[in-house]
Amino acid sequence: MVSIVPEVACSLGAWLFLYICFCYWNEHRSHEWSCRLVTLLHGVIVTCLSGYVALWDGPWPLTHAGSPNTPLQIHVLSLTLGYFIFDLGWCLYFQTEGDLMLFHHTLSICGMIMVLGLGKSATEVNAIVFVSEITNPLLQTRWFLREIGCYHTLLGEVVDFFFVFLFLVLRIGGGALIIYTMVISPDPSWLLKAGSLAMYIVSLGFMAEICRFIRRKMLKKYHSWTRLRSMNAPVKTNGHLAAH
C-alpha cells in the first residue's frame, strides 16, 4: 500500500495541474468549464483503460471476484482515485453538487482505498468503474452542448439517447450483475460488499433523476406536438372550413 501512495499522489497532482492549465487556456470561461474538461478527459481515458482490463486483460470479473490485484488494475484504480480526490475537493470548495453526488464520490474513494490496501478485489471494482464511467463523457458532452447553445439539436437528441441507453443497460443492468457476483462470492470483504451495494443504491438514485428528466422531456415534446397540431388544424365557421 505504501508504494501506491506516491502513484495516487502523482495522479492527483496531474489532474490538478491539468485543471490549472485548462483554467489558464480558458480564462474567459467559468471554473466549471475547466473542471468538466478534466472530467471529460478522465471519463474517456478511464473508460478505455478499465474496459480493456475488464474485457480483455482479465481476469473476468464475473468469475474471479476477490482475486489478487494485477499491476494494471492497480495503475487504473490509482489514476481514478487521484481524480476522485481532486473532483471531491473541487465540488466541496465550489459547492456545485448535491448530497447524492458527494456521497457517490466519498463511497468511490473509500472503496478504491480499501481495494488497493487489501490487495484484492480490484477485478470487480475495475468492472464497476467501467460501467459507471462509460456514460460520463456523454454526460459532460450534454453540459457543453447546453453551454454553447447546441443542446436542442439532433446532436443533443443523439447524446441524450445513448446516455440514457448506456446508463440503463450497463450501469444499472451490468452493475447489478457485478454486485450479485460480489455478494455471492466468499472472497471479497464483507465491508466491500456493503459499500458496493451502497454504490448501487446511489446509482438507483441517479436513475430516478434520469427517469424524471425523461418524463419532463416527453411531456414537453407532447405539449409541443399538440400545440403544433392545433395550429395546423382546419377551423370550422358555420359548418364550413375557414381558410387560414
Side-chain angles (χ1 to χ4, degrees):
M1 179 64 182
V2 176
S3 61
I4 297 173
V5 173
E7 188 171 353
V8 176
C10 288
S11 171
L12 172 60
W15 294 117
L16 182 59
F17 176 75
L18 187 62
Y19 169 71
I20 293 172
C21 290
F22 282 143
C23 287
Y24 177 76
W25 295 329
N26 300 278
E27 56 183 356
H28 61 292
R29 298 284 189 178
S30 65
H31 289 96
E32 185 174 5
W33 178 281
S34 298
C35 183
R36 286 185 180 270
L37 282 175
V38 175
T39 301
L40 176 63
L41 185 60
H42 167 265
V44 172
I45 293 174
V46 170
T47 295
C48 293
L49 290 176
S50 60
Y52 172 78
V53 171
L55 303 175
W56 185 263
D57 189 65
W60 184 240
L62 300 182
T63 55
H64 291 75
S67 59
N69 302 344
T70 66
L72 185 55
Q73 289 171 347
I74 293 173
H75 293 323
V76 174
L77 290 184
S78 297
L79 180 67
T80 304
L81 178 57
Y83 163 78
F84 271 100
I85 295 173
F86 156 77
D87 199 49
L88 178 61
W90 191 94
C91 292
L92 290 172
Y93 182 80
F94 287 98
Q95 299 182 350
T96 58
E97 299 294 339
D99 293 338
L100 189 62
M101 182 62 75
L102 296 179
F103 186 52
H104 166 270
H105 276 36
T106 303
L107 281 176
S108 299
I109 291 170
C110 292
M112 283 183 278
I113 290 175
M114 183 185 301
V115 166
L116 292 173
L118 292 174
K120 65 176 185 177
S121 291
T123 298
E124 58 269 31
V125 171
N126 176 84
I128 292 174
V129 169
F130 171 66
V131 298
S132 299
E133 286 298 314
I134 194 170
T135 56
N136 209 348
L138 294 170
L139 181 64
Q140 305 312 315
T141 301
R142 293 178 69 248
W143 187 88
F144 284 115
L145 288 175
R146 286 185 181 277
E147 287 295 299
I148 63 176
C150 295
Y151 178 68
H152 298 289
T153 61
L154 178 60
L155 179 59
E157 296 288 340
V158 172
V159 170
D160 273 351
F161 171 79
F162 280 106
F163 169 73
V164 173
F165 177 78
L166 290 175
F167 189 97
L168 295 177
V169 172
L170 291 181
R171 186 158 184 168
I172 300 301
L177 194 57
I178 297 168
I179 299 299
Y180 173 76
T181 302
M182 289 181 63
V183 170
I184 65 174
S185 174
D187 296 322
S189 163
W190 67 268
L191 190 57
L192 185 62
K193 293 180 181 180
S196 299
L197 286 171
M199 278 290 292
Y200 191 74
I201 292 173
V202 170
S203 294
L204 293 177
F206 289 142
M207 185 184 71
E209 294 181 353
I210 290 174
C211 289
R212 286 193 292 268
F213 157 76
I214 295 173
R215 181 177 178 274
R216 290 194 304 268
K217 188 166 185 175
M218 295 304 293
L219 284 175
K220 186 176 180 181
K221 285 184 176 296
Y222 173 74
H223 292 318
S224 298
W225 177 76
T226 53
R227 283 196 300 268
L228 182 62
R229 185 182 179 188
S230 62
M231 290 174 59
N232 293 333
V235 180
K236 288 188 177 182
T237 304
N238 296 326
H240 298 283
L241 294 178
H244 286 275

